[in-house]
Amino acid sequence: VRTSLGPWADQVHFASISEETIRSLKIPDYLSLAAYYRLFLGEVLPASARRAIYLDCDLIVRADLALMLETDLGGCVIAAVPDAGSQDGEAKHVLALSPNALYFNSGVLLIDLALWREQDIARQVVSFAMENPDRLTWGDQCALNWVLRDRWKPLGMTWNMQTPSFGCDVDGEMRYFQPVPPAAMAGRIIHFTAPGRPWLYMSEHPRKQDYLEYLARTEWRGQRPEDLYPHNRIRKVLRQHMPALLPAYMALRRHV
């Protein structure tokens, strides 16, 4: 990891998180306990740190984060961007949030660490998650939304431009808007939420090349995509050049 950081290696510090208090939490299949690590920023960062920006690992940053850091929180504990895929009500209904309430995506958070510590947010989130596992559609994100339901401020979408801003899911595959909305392409933070992850061979995310350019500057460059199989090569060629034949090919695969 430090090799990939280059000249910034000495400015990066790694913190160890004890999983003892979160080991029994409900974790969706697509997550690990590491999703809950963000809760402990108040503990691992020095007491002198008054604000922090939390970023998921599946995104790229295209602007100076100091612009976000200067956001007026107006007394709120955090600022975040509404989740682009959860405003239809399902997660909010299970969580028992008001139908009119906004539900934020926890992949990008601006945190007032003083309030976070003072109000013991980490303990509240862990306690809610343990006591209400059946209300956690999206794991820790739901627990955060419940605990902070009246203590967060919406940020502009540009600070967490999620995949639904670029296209829509059709039967488990992304179909990207043509043309892609300029606001999406100009996002300051591009968050590669599922589906359409840019490290996958089948992904055609409009910002995939940006991701690959960053990847090429790390020790993970050149890794084989996990979905690079002969049948996917054929699917991709058909999808790009002969889309009318794709349904027939998929039907053939189901019967072979």
Side-chain angles (χ1 to χ4, degrees), residues 9-184:
D10 292 338
Q11 301 177 43
V12 176
H13 302 276
F14 293 90
S16 297
I17 302 292
S18 172
E19 295 183 349
E20 183 177 352
T21 59
I22 59 175
R23 199 177 304 278
S24 62
L25 291 175
K26 175 185 177 182
I27 306 294
D29 293 339
Y30 62 92
L31 290 178
S32 71
L33 277 176
Y36 282 88
Y37 288 0
R38 75 195 86 193
L39 301 180
F40 303 102
L41 282 173
E43 298 176 20
V44 300
L45 293 177
S48 58
R50 308 296 290 177
R51 281 194 172 194
I53 293 176
Y54 167 82
L55 301 173
D56 265 359
C57 61
D58 55 350
L59 53 76
I60 57 174
V61 177
R62 305 179 58 252
D64 188 346
L65 291 177
L67 296 172
M68 187 205 301
L69 200 62
E70 296 167 358
T71 300
D72 180 6
L73 289 175
C76 292
V77 179
I78 69 165
V81 174
D83 190 85
S86 298
Q87 302 310 320
D88 57 0
E90 179 182 355
K92 292 190 294 186
H93 174 73
V94 174
L95 195 55
L97 285 174
S98 164
N100 298 322
L102 289 176
Y103 175 99
F104 62 81
N105 180 278
S106 60
V108 178
L109 302 174
L110 171 61
I111 305 171
D112 183 320
L113 287 174
L115 290 178
W116 183 277
R117 295 169 178 135
E118 178 185 316
Q119 299 179 25
D120 204 1
I121 300 301
R123 182 192 59 78
Q124 291 187 53
V125 173
V126 170
S127 296
F128 179 82
M130 287 183 171
E131 295 167 7
N132 302 275
D134 294 335
R135 293 169 66 182
L136 306 181
T137 306
W138 305 114
D140 61 304
Q141 181 168 277
C142 285
L144 280 163
N145 267 273
W146 175 259
V147 170
L148 295 169
R149 59 193 181 280
D150 54 359
R151 290 180 279 180
W152 72 280
K153 177 178 180 176
L155 279 173
M157 291 294 291
T158 188
W159 287 115
N160 187 352
M161 198 62 69
Q162 300 149 57
T163 298
S165 296
F166 293 86
C168 56
D169 182 357
V170 179
D171 297 328
E173 292 192 2
M174 285 301 297
R175 295 291 183 264
Y176 295 99
F177 302 132
Q178 298 295 334
V180 177

